[in-house]
Amino acid sequence: MALDFSGQNLRGRNFKGRQDLAGANFSYADIRGANFTNANLKGTNFSYAKAGLQRRWAIFLVLLSWLFSGLSGFIWELNGNVVSQIFDSSIYNQIAGWITLILLIAFFFVMILKGVGSGLVLFFVVAFTGAITTAIALVGAFAKNFAGDFAVVSSKIFAAGIAVAIVLAFAIAAAIAVAAAIAVAAAIAVAGGIAVATAIAVLVAQTLTFSVVFTVAGTLLSIYIGWRAMKGDEKHSLIRNIAVTFAATGGTSFRGADLTNADFTQATLKSTDFRNTILTRTHWHKAKMLDRVRPGSTYLQTSQVRQLLITRQGQDKNFDRQILRGINLKAANLAETSFIGAGLSEANLQDADLSRAKLKQTQLDGTDLTGATLTGAYIEDWGITNTTKLHGVRCEYVFMRLPTKEDPDPLRKPDNKQ
């Protein structure tokens, strides 16, 4: 007889490796911080369950985000301090200040327009250049007996290269603050407040205009990057991955578990680990915060796929060549959707609307199409086998080739359009 945990408080419970949980009922249960690593969860009901972080982990992450925010505010003040040297009486300090200013402005634009990956490339280029410049400056300094001044300017030029890393560190810190906010809704505002408060405290002591400018600018940049990352902007995917990974630490873990035919309908899944999990025909309809899970290499790593699983509305979307093996799209609206070269083996497409869908070279080994609508579908070289279920399929006609401008109805079957 299947176990019944429905509505129970299971926070922090350890179900690791349990083999007797197949078909168990966890509906409406509080499974925050629970460990289901390597468990057998075939056919298990997690509908309306609440996964994520326990309160003590959420508090720890918020405190850690405050620490990063305070540190980042202080580092930005230091950057402003270096730039303010452009008004110094020493020509060497002025050069260092201008170089730092140019590099920071360039980094701002690269981070906003091209994302964190391009920012990293810029950092390594600048750091390498800074190291060479430092070496040359030091050699020249000793050769001309001006070691003092040249050592100062060379160290500041090298600091200009490191400044890029500092900016990146702050951006990551902001994303970590956002990740903590995944667990506690107000953490972004609180962490941002701490960053501003720290910056103000430093500014009162230093009273430097450039410190004010760069602290505010750096804070705004980091907030923007963190916001765009959590919105799914691919340019800032590195930041988002770090944030989600950080937030999933101490959360509910399904790592390595078998969730075949499991049901997560309307479950809350923030800060949950699904790495190396078997997700064959798993139900995700109306699941909440599915974008805040740690997906590993499963089909949950793609935002478009997550949205499709939640809403089951995929009309006129493009999933060409995506690996969607075992996905559950029962009764989904997939009219005019393109699955060219996609892997849909072992998927559940019962009662799905696939009218006019492009199924060219789509792999459908073991796929359940019972009751699906295939009227007008393009089935050129589709990969059906003797394990593909086509019982009760509704289909008035299909096309054996993809349409072109010259031939919008290629190889229609039956040939008679009446």
Side-chain angles (χ1 to χ4, degrees):
M1 182 177 179
L3 299 175
D4 187 2
F5 299 96
S6 58
Q8 294 186 29
N9 181 357
L10 304 173
R11 281 179 287 184
R13 286 281 297 273
N14 188 3
F15 297 95
K16 184 176 181 179
R18 291 275 295 270
Q19 297 298 310
D20 59 343
L21 295 177
N25 184 7
F26 289 91
S27 61
Y28 296 93
D30 186 347
I31 55 173
R32 286 177 290 181
N35 186 1
F36 294 94
T37 301
N38 297 324
N40 178 13
L41 298 168
K42 292 181 178 179
T44 303
N45 182 7
F46 287 101
S47 59
Y48 298 91
K50 187 174 185 179
L53 293 166
Q54 295 187 77
R55 184 173 298 175
R56 62 175 180 269
W57 271 102
I59 294 174
F60 169 73
L61 291 181
V62 171
L63 292 175
L64 194 58
S65 72
W66 289 357
L67 175 63
F68 275 101
S69 297
L71 178 62
S72 62
F74 174 71
I75 291 175
W76 269 111
E77 190 276 337
L78 292 181
N79 282 333
N81 232 338
V82 175
V83 174
S84 67
Q85 298 299 309
I86 62 177
F87 295 111
D88 194 86
S89 58
S90 171
I91 184 63
Y92 307 118
N93 289 347
Q94 292 178 24
I95 293 173
W98 279 110
I99 291 176
T100 303
L101 176 61
I102 293 171
L103 289 174
L104 289 175
I105 292 175
F107 191 75
F108 267 61
F109 278 100
V110 170
M111 288 287 286
I112 293 173
L113 299 177
K114 297 296 184 179
V116 176
S118 298
L120 278 172
V121 173
L122 176 62
F123 158 64
F124 286 117
V125 171
V126 172
F128 178 73
T129 304
I132 294 176
T133 304
T134 299
I136 294 174
L138 287 174
V139 171
F142 284 110
K144 295 184 179 182
N145 297 318
F146 292 112
D149 286 339
F150 271 94
V152 171
V153 68
S154 63
S155 64
K156 290 186 176 180
I157 291 174
F158 186 62
I162 298 177
V164 178
I166 292 174
V167 176
L168 180 63
F170 181 75
I172 293 175
I176 291 175
V178 175
I182 295 172
V184 180
I188 293 177
V190 174
I194 292 295
V196 173
T198 304
I200 291 174
V202 176
L203 294 172
V204 170
Q206 300 293 332
T207 62
L208 294 173
T209 302
F210 275 94
S211 296
V212 176
V213 172
F214 277 92
T215 300
V216 173
T219 301
L220 292 176
L221 172 66
S222 301
I223 291 174
Y224 171 77
I225 291 174
W227 173 68
R228 292 301 305 166
M230 300 315 295
K231 282 289 185 179
D233 191 333
E234 291 300 322
K235 292 186 298 184
H236 305 297
S237 58
L238 176 62
I239 294 298
R240 185 187 182 282
N241 292 338
I242 293 174
V244 170
T245 299
F246 187 82
T249 304
T252 305
S253 176
F254 290 102
R255 187 173 183 179
D258 188 345
L259 287 165
T260 300
N261 291 317
D263 186 2
F264 286 98
T265 299
Q266 297 202 44
T268 302
L269 298 172
K270 63 180 179 179
S271 303
T272 303
D273 191 347
F274 286 107
R275 287 176 297 165
N276 302 321
T277 304
I278 300 174
L279 300 176
T280 305
R281 297 182 297 277
T282 306
H283 297 257
W284 307 99
H285 189 47
K286 295 184 179 180
K288 301 173 184 177
M289 298 188 178
L290 194 58
D291 60 327
R292 307 297 173 88
V293 304
R294 192 173 184 183
S297 59
T298 67
Y299 53 69
L300 295 177
Q301 62 185 315
T302 306
S303 60
Q304 187 182 34
V305 174
R306 291 194 299 266
Q307 190 64 24
L308 175 61
L309 290 167
I310 295 170
T311 64
R312 295 187 180 174
Q313 297 296 317
Q315 183 172 4
D316 202 24
K317 301 295 184 181
N318 189 319
F319 297 95
D320 292 351
R321 297 172 184 83
Q322 294 197 33
I323 305 302
L324 305 174
R325 187 181 187 90
I327 197 170
N328 191 329
L329 296 174
K330 182 177 181 180
N333 179 8
L334 303 172
E336 302 182 35
T337 301
S338 182
F339 290 105
I340 298 174
L344 283 169
S345 296
E346 299 184 32
N348 183 353
L349 296 174
Q350 295 178 23
D351 300 315
D353 183 1
L354 287 160
S355 55
R356 300 177 303 283
K358 295 183 176 74
L359 300 175
K360 178 181 178 179
Q361 298 178 348
T362 305
Q363 299 304 308
L364 297 165
D365 180 35
T367 303
D368 190 349
L369 287 159
T370 301
T373 300
L374 289 171
T375 298
Y378 301 91
I379 61 172
E380 179 181 351
D381 298 328
W382 66 341
I384 60 172
T385 67
N386 59 358
T387 61
T388 305
K389 297 180 181 179
L390 296 166
H391 307 297
V393 164
R394 292 183 285 272
C395 183
E396 297 178 14
Y397 58 91
V398 293
F399 298 100
M400 305 305 293
R401 294 288 186 272
L402 287 177
T404 62
K405 291 182 179 180
E406 295 75 19
D407 188 1
D409 298 331
L411 291 179
R412 183 188 190 274
K413 299 297 179 182
D415 299 323
N416 188 347
K417 294 185 179 182
Q418 300 302 320

